[in-house]
Amino acid sequence: MGILLTALLLTGCGGEEKKAADSAKVLRVGTEPVFAPFEFPKEGSKDLTGFDIELIEALGKQMGYKVEIVSMGFDALIPALNSGNIDVVAAGMSINEERQKAVTFSEPYYTSGLIVMVNKDNNEVKSIKDLEGKRIACQIGTTGENKSRTVEGAKVKAFNTQDEASLELKNGGADAVIGDAPVVEYYMTKAGKDFAKTVGERMEAEPYGIAVKKGSKLAGDLNKALAELKKSGEYDKLYTKWFGEKK
């Protein structure tokens, strides 16, 4: 009887634990997995890593959610959010007036900017002003594309990913790339180290935010969790890991 009772108790505990795990709240996070160092595949794995991934996982834990990452193209993220297929977007998304009409953003968690990348042997282009009438590669749906289209007479080539835009530069199909500075600079330490360089100053400091459906209370929850991570020092640890000490 004692053995049987113990077995039943153990079974009951296991069942309760499984039930609790199954009922854990899930936060479906949309991202574009080709935006290093913010979100990209781990080497030799299908799992994702990067600053955004580790930050949203920490935020989810703080909020009591199990985080589920959903990968898709950047231009599909806001439609997926508004259709209810995902709950939040964590994808190095700049907060701007146009996007604020469609979604609600958390408080900014990172400040970026745009930069021009050219081939190392290009001595003609020293700033964005020198790109008038030239070929500019960028990623579709980004502020890099928006900036590219303000350059007078430029032929803008928009690609699905930042890597594809950079490859167009490498292959001679573009004179320059305009993209998010931390992403371009990270690329130059990897695939671009042998052929590319940046020119000019950073342009248009851009705050990144986590997007939620318009009016969703998740924005407030995310802000509260972000404040807690900053207070505990966990945010600073993640920032230092991916970008070094704050300047």
Side-chain angles (χ1 to χ4, degrees):
M1 283 290 291
I3 294 172
L4 178 60
L5 181 59
T6 301
L8 288 171
L9 286 172
L10 287 173
T11 302
C13 290
E16 289 300 316
E17 288 176 2
K18 185 177 186 304
K19 184 178 179 181
D22 289 344
S23 63
K25 296 185 295 182
V26 174
L27 190 69
R28 298 166 300 169
V29 179
T31 195
E32 183 204 30
V34 285
F35 200 60
F38 291 91
E39 41 269 331
F40 61 103
K42 291 180 182 177
E43 190 172 349
S45 171
K46 292 182 179 179
D47 294 332
L48 299 183
T49 188
F51 180 65
D52 280 348
I53 301 301
E54 293 195 0
L55 178 62
I56 197 63
E57 287 175 344
L59 290 170
K61 183 178 180 180
Q62 183 71 32
M63 294 160 61
Y65 283 94
K66 177 183 176 182
V67 171
E68 178 183 293
I69 304 295
V70 183
S71 298
M72 63 186 71
F74 190 83
D75 57 339
L77 289 167
I78 288 179
L81 182 64
N82 286 328
S83 66
N85 290 328
I86 55 177
D87 303 306
V88 304
V89 171
M93 184 170 281
S94 302
I95 301 171
N96 62 32
E97 188 176 348
E98 183 180 353
R99 288 176 182 148
Q100 285 177 312
K101 293 175 183 176
V103 301
T104 295
F105 280 101
S106 69
E107 292 294 324
Y109 66 88
Y110 182 87
T111 300
S112 181
L114 298 172
I115 197 117
V116 176
M117 179 172 68
V118 298
N119 283 305
K120 278 184 176 179
D121 59 1
N122 186 332
N123 297 314
E124 295 179 14
V125 177
K126 295 180 173 62
S127 72
I128 191 170
K129 278 190 166 295
D130 298 321
L131 292 178
E132 293 181 0
K134 299 195 183 311
R135 302 164 300 168
I136 304 174
C138 56
Q139 183 181 0
I140 192 169
T142 64
T143 51
E145 181 185 9
N146 294 343
K147 188 68 175 179
S148 298
R149 297 196 183 281
T150 68
V151 179
E152 187 175 346
K155 180 181 179 182
V156 178
K157 299 181 175 184
F159 294 86
N160 287 327
T161 69
Q162 187 70 33
D163 284 350
E164 289 176 6
S166 300
L167 187 61
E168 184 74 359
L169 173 68
K170 182 179 181 180
N171 292 339
D175 300 300
V177 168
I178 296 180
D180 288 62
V183 177
V184 170
E185 289 165 356
Y186 185 83
Y187 175 83
M188 285 177 51
T189 69
K190 305 296 181 182
K193 63 183 177 181
D194 294 327
F195 79 90
K197 66 180 180 180
T198 59
V199 294
E201 301 290 328
R202 280 200 187 198
M203 303 170 286
E204 301 175 6
E206 300 174 312
Y208 286 175
I210 297 169
V212 300
K213 200 168 185 178
K214 195 76 173 174
S216 171
K217 76 176 189 68
L218 276 173
D221 296 339
L222 286 163
N223 289 338
K224 183 178 178 181
L226 182 59
E228 288 295 326
L229 292 187
K230 289 183 175 180
K231 183 178 178 180
S232 70
E234 188 170 353
Y235 173 89
D236 286 343
K237 287 180 183 177
L238 288 177
Y239 188 100
T240 300
K241 174 180 177 180
W242 290 103
F243 307 111
E245 297 293 335
K246 288 185 178 179
K247 297 178 181 179

